[in-house]
Amino acid sequence: MSTATRTRTPHSGGPAPSGNGAPPMGPPARKPFRMASSRRRITWMFVVFAIVVSLFAARLVELQLLKGGELAGETLGKRLVTQDIPAVRGEITDINGVPLATSIEVRHITADQTLVEDPQETAAVLGPIIGMDPAVLVPELTGERRFIYLKKNTPPQIWRDIQAWRAAEDNDGKVLQGIFSERLTIRDYPNKELGANLTGFTNAEGDGACCLESALNDVLNGEPGSVSYEEAPGGNEIPASDVQKVAPRPGTDVRLTIDADLQAIAQRAITKQAKASNSDFGMVVALHVPTGRILAMATGPSFDPENPDKVEPGDWNNKPVTWAMEPGSTAKLMTIAAVLDQGALKPKSSVVVPGTLLRGGKAFEDSHAHGTLQLTLAGVLAQSSNIGTILAAEEIGGDRLYEYLRNFGVGSPTGLSFPGEQSGYLLDPADWSETTFPTLAFGQGMSMTAIQIASMVASIGNDGVYTSPKLIDSYVGADGTVQQTAPGEQHRVLKESTAKKMQKLMQLVLQEGGTAKNAAVPGYLVGGKTGTAQRYDEECGCYSGYTASFVGMAPANDPEIVVGAWLDNPRGSYYGGAVAGPVVQQVLTAALASQGVPPTGDKPFKFPLTTDGSSLG
Amino acid sequence: MTQGRAVSNSEHHDWRDRLVKHPASIYYLMLGSTILLLLLGVLMVWSASAIESIRATGNSYDIASKQLMYAVVGLIGLWFAARLSAGQLRSIAWPLLLVTLVLLVLVLVIGTEVYGSKNWISLGGPFRLQPSEFAKIALIIWGAHILTRKWRPVMDWSLLLVPVLPTGMALMLLVIMEGDFGNAMIIGVIMVGIFYAVGAPLRLFAALGAAGAVGMIFVFQQFEYRRDRWLAFLDPNPDPLGIGYQAQQGTYALGTGGPFGVGLGASREKWGNLPAAHTDFILPVIGEELGLVGTIGVLGLLLLLIWSILRLARETPDRFTQLLAAGMATWLIIQVVTNVGAALKMLPITGVTLPLVSYGGSSLIPMLVGIGLLLGRARRLVPESSEPPSVEVAGPRQAASR
């Protein structure tokens, strides 16, 4: 140790400590120095620490006060999850509240494969709960897919069972991690085919795809609500978080005028008869005469609205409203009524009916060949004579007849607003040919739907006042408020006296010498009219086959119920009385009972059908 | 007027004297702030860990009850430590260091690896020992003992630095070999703190700082992911799933808490967004549940604890007590600064726990024992104490240096 190094030490840091950054050791370390004051150093330590702590405090004020809201909002946005709460779709019920279409809550069980730790174990637990073979589940739970459906449309109880299993203390909550559910409501048709052509069905999104379901979609659908909550990684709801819930507005229930029991009888009867008569299809309509309410409206065969794809789309149609046909003989009611109403003829007036009648270069005939008959006007109706009806119609002329037909609703929509409704076809008089008038008189050359024909008959039953038919009774809100629909629109078609005469004459159809002897309902006076119309085939543009029909009403002296039945293209017997009569008789009997109409006795109304006293077979 | 003011002034001083200036106040402030931090810690560990616990074991108290057990064990340790006299403590300084060195070597051989660091010795069952945590308290006791013995008004380098500096560096090296850079840094800082408090020339720290910088550059070159992790806090918009995610979530938690918090137990971040919510990142959870009031309260309690320890260091006539307190204060300061700095996204994340508050027995128990030692020293500051002042202050022992 030299004196030179010794003297340099007090003035500088010395070369050794700063030389290579390593701790100073070796010879230079021998240089002595004074130690600094520990107390002062300790004070400095505190001062520096206190400054750092105040910086931290300032930073805390910045993060928690100044930028707190901004940061909280930023992170809330990342955690916040909003889910729709589906609104429950309204029910479609019959007049007594029996559901024809209803909605039930179901859950789709789903999985996030990346969150499933042990597919084997998870499948073993989950399988029995959701009713699936664990061996089938394992591959569904294995992989990298973030979303997969395990089972669709499970009842809500299944999901509750899964949650209960998770919550149970003995169970390891991790086993079912990654299993989720989707809540939704599906449409249920508890009575399957019953009223299927009326209600229709819904599509996968839950919107109506046919018939009333689609026509009333906006009414039935409520407004979905939503729930927002904060979600932890892994999908759990954080319980302490603020939950924003907007309750869904449930849909409105629709109450039809239909009586489900009667609908069932009608549907069964027409389906059976359509098959028995080897027809393409059958239709039946039951109307409440004073109000125009539709008590039953069936198409047979029908279909299962939960599996609509099993039939052709054409079979979804509610044919009594969507199928227009030539009314045939049932339209003679309008012609005869018009003639009576105009006072041109009386029921007892004589109509001489030749075997054939030439009009506009065309020979018209009756359904059964005959020589010249001496009929009364009543006999023309009972016998359903085409020639007699033409001759009667000529007493008032084409323009008058056209007015009456229009007033009876021919060619006008009924106001049901049912999807696909046909308004029928009636040529304007300006466009008539020479044969149009005689053809129209007995029900050809125009088209009507079943509901139009039934409404026409009902207006005779309603003492001459037409009432537009009505299918929807009321709307019932989720809060129970009932909104009745407006009553059917009414207008007078016939004088009351004319209508009364018609009600009597229509009874003759079911009696000896009439065309529908087998449609009588024991205990009630029944009136009606058969129809055996030639069937216009759109495919060939020609007449092919027949539409057999019968429209009856009871009690004939004060009608309450009108029931009509139509069978399209029966291959076998095709006379309306024989084919459609039994269906009407069945439905009418049931309707009178369900509406509580007291029996009138069935003592027949007697009236001469011929002017020469001969009897008709 | 002047009279009245004078009276009130003197009253004020009386009040302050009794609460703060009285030597016993150090003891009670130290004990009080420790107990409050400990209680708050157990409570917040419970709240922050409940979700993770119930997910892992089905018992929401699982982690919290362990922490409570550590606290009880630590308090028993504190009680025993407070009963040791300076002489007794100094007599076990060397054995303590040697045992620590043996354990640090042993852990390299039979240690258990956790989170990439091989720094645990399994003691069977749930009990594990982390020698690097015990190395800190051992270094503080031993360093204070050695430097007390060596201290002269005028010293030279070898007298000052040998054997404390090489021993401290050996400890650091062993801890680095375990892969635990955070604790190695803390050990280094504790050593620097003791040298600073003993009054070493400032140029020593310039040299040590330079050495530390060189060491850090070396480490960064060796382990790139550590550099990325260290520098991530500077990124204002970190990749939400990447390195800066944790610190970002920490600031979210603090922001959500606002001035008064969302309420005890109501933290959203602890549901899985914020990793290590009950260990390194407990402060953000406190901030979320108890708000700015809670975080400032915790900082205030830590400041009070460190202030009382440093006051002990200032006031004590005993140099060993002084260095012991300065070492403990350094330990607390470096942990508070690195932990809080990381949680506030001002410093890199090092995985250092918040002393007395964060979960973990290996950090809590030695810390409580260390505070117990200081409580034992502080109690003897009280004039009524019968213990005679340590001999060192009366005059240096006869020259021990060779």
Side-chain angles (χ1 to χ4, degrees), chain A residues 482-503:
Chain A
V482 178
Q483 190 197 336
Q484 290 288 340
T485 53
E489 181 267 329
Q490 294 190 318
H491 62 261
R492 182 164 285 283
V493 185
L494 302 171
K495 297 187 190 98
E496 191 176 339
S497 59
T498 311
K500 288 283 183 201
K501 283 177 198 158
M502 286 300 294
Q503 290 165 16

Side-chain angles (χ1 to χ4, degrees), chain A residues 13 21 23 29-33 35-36 38-39 41-43 45-46 49 59 64 68 74-75 78-79 230 233 239, chain B residues 153-157 165 196-197 199-200 203 211 252 254-255 258 268-269 271 273 287 292 295 307 314 319 330 344:
Chain A
R30 296 280 158 157
K31 283 165 280 176
F33 41 77
M35 296 294 278
S38 287
R39 290 191 165 195
R41 289 276 173 94
I42 286 160
T43 306
M45 280 172 76
F46 182 74
F49 178 63
R59 173 74 167 164
Q64 300 203 263
E74 201 175 312
T75 178
K78 288 179 184 174
R79 286 194 305 263
E230 292 176 48
Chain B
V154 175
M155 296 181 83
D156 66 31
W157 288 113
L165 187 68
Y196 183 76
R203 57 184 183 274
Y252 284 156
L254 290 165
R268 281 81 153 131
E269 291 287 340
W271 278 77
N273 281 314
L292 184 63
T295 48
W307 177 72
R314 252 186 71 90
R319 184 163 296 279
T330 309
L344 301 184

Side-chain angles (χ1 to χ4, degrees), chain B residues 148-163:
Chain B
T148 301
R149 209 174 61 195
K150 292 206 160 194
W151 187 87
R152 305 285 182 281
V154 175
M155 296 181 83
D156 66 31
W157 288 113
S158 67
L159 188 62
L160 177 66
L161 299 179
V162 183

Side-chain angles (χ1 to χ4, degrees), chain B residues 24 27 30 47 65 70 76 118-119 122 138 148 185-186 189 203 239 245 274 279 282 302 315 318 320 332 354 389:
Chain B
Y27 176 85
M30 206 187 293
S47 176
S65 53
Y70 297 144
I76 293 168
K118 194 179 182 182
N119 50 10
S122 180
T148 301
M185 180 202 70
I186 290 173
V189 171
R203 57 184 183 274
D239 169 11
Y245 171 77
L274 181 64
T279 57
I282 192 139
L302 287 165
E315 311 280 314
D318 172 15
F320 173 70
L332 276 162
L354 189 62

